[in-house]
Amino acid sequence: MRSIVRVQFITLGCALLLLRQTTICTAFAPSQSTPSYTRTSTTSLHIFGSGSKQTGGSSSQSLSPLPRGISPFEKSLSKNIDIQAEFRQRAKRAIDAALTDSVTKLEIEFPPLLGGSQSKSQFDDFDNIQELDKNKDWTMLLAPMFLGDAEYQGGKTWLIFPDLKECELAKVEWQGQRYREATFTTIEAVANDSASGAGGGYDAPWGANLMSGLSKMMGGEDGDAGLLGDQAALDDLSSGANLWLVIQPGNGGPVEDWVNCEKIANAQPETPMVIINGALDKVKGGFYPAVFFPKLAATVDRFYKKFESVFYLKPFSDKGVYGWLYRVYPEPWQVVWENVKPGKDGNAEVEYVTVDVLDERPSYAEVVSMLVKASQSNI
């Protein structure tokens, strides 16, 4: 049933076009994971003449190194350390810094399956449900990290799940008081709650009303049969919110999730919204054709391009090179090349080389070009 909730309903024509778009917009497709941090050299190479601005040498002195154990070439290390805990620590510091600077639209993007005994990189097989579970658990552990500030206590931190079933599962799996300090809710519930304001109410995906009607019909006199989840899992929203943590909207689910996020933000623009692994690259990069998704396309310039990437860790694997695009707010962007060399006992050794440091985010093509040239210069 969970897979039904997260299915994207589109026409065959749209599906074929989206398939073709995947080859065109690879800049916004998930890339592959990368090695643990063993930095032995740092380089700033001004490789391409683009619109991206390069920082001066002094900026590199305060750069955050890549987290340990993230390389697909160091799986033994990945499986024995808690990489996601390190991600949360860095993300929390970045969120705090951004909130101090009055940033209200924040993006968190990272590989959610890395680390632990079941560690998976982008080279491994996994499905959307596995990603959704990991993003849910990651955010459940992030939320209590804000409890040291009274502003986020007493239900003022809202955990906004993509659907009711995920909200229900989170309540069952995370029952401690420190987790219940947050408000458990969904994109639909918050959008409907804001309907009287500037938000305009929930934009339902195709097929949602059919499933909802079927659930109510099957419930009979007892009410909703709970096909889409237990309504009792939703917390009351009267306390108001000082922080929204939105878990994997749109990515693997209906595009209306992204449309509804804008509606929620419009209803209360002063409340910070943190989108966690929401695949905003796809939204901003034109992965969804405007002719088929006009509402989503309309959100890009007026809303999603205003998001600040506060913790961003994207693996790259293209043209035989491996690397990362990395940022921790308020630092600049780092392009890091993996110099993979044969090591002892047949195990690979990974050297991380900072190819460039930039104030503005480079494009996918620019990153790949920089990594290729770094690799060639090392031959």
Side-chain angles (χ1 to χ4, degrees), residues 35 94 101 128-130 146 210 259 266 270 282 289 330 377:
D101 290 343
N128 180 63
I129 297 300
Q130 289 174 298
F146 291 92
L210 176 64
V259 175
N266 286 343
E270 70 280 4
K282 286 185 178 181
S377 66

Side-chain angles (χ1 to χ4, degrees), residues 156 190 298 371:
K156 296 293 186 179
V190 180
L371 295 175

Side-chain angles (χ1 to χ4, degrees), residues 224-290:
D224 198 307
L227 291 181
L228 301 180
D230 186 357
Q231 293 287 331
L234 296 172
D235 288 336
D236 180 73
L237 302 180
S238 60
S239 64
N242 288 332
L243 180 65
W244 289 320
L245 302 177
V246 189
I247 304 159
Q248 196 179 323
N251 187 18
V255 299
E256 286 81 7
D257 282 0
W258 289 307
V259 175
N260 287 309
C261 282
E262 184 192 28
K263 290 187 173 188
I264 292 169
N266 286 343
Q268 196 173 327
E270 70 280 4
T271 301
M273 174 179 283
V274 182
I275 291 184
I276 298 159
N277 278 341
L280 299 191
D281 285 349
K282 286 185 178 181
V283 179
K284 294 182 287 186
F287 185 87
Y288 297 95

Side-chain angles (χ1 to χ4, degrees), residues 139-140 143 157-161 179 182-186 243 245 247:
T139 310
M140 288 303 308
T157 297
W158 287 15
L159 293 162
I160 304 180
F161 295 91
Y179 306 114
T183 292
F184 287 63
T185 188
T186 63
L243 180 65
L245 302 177
I247 304 159

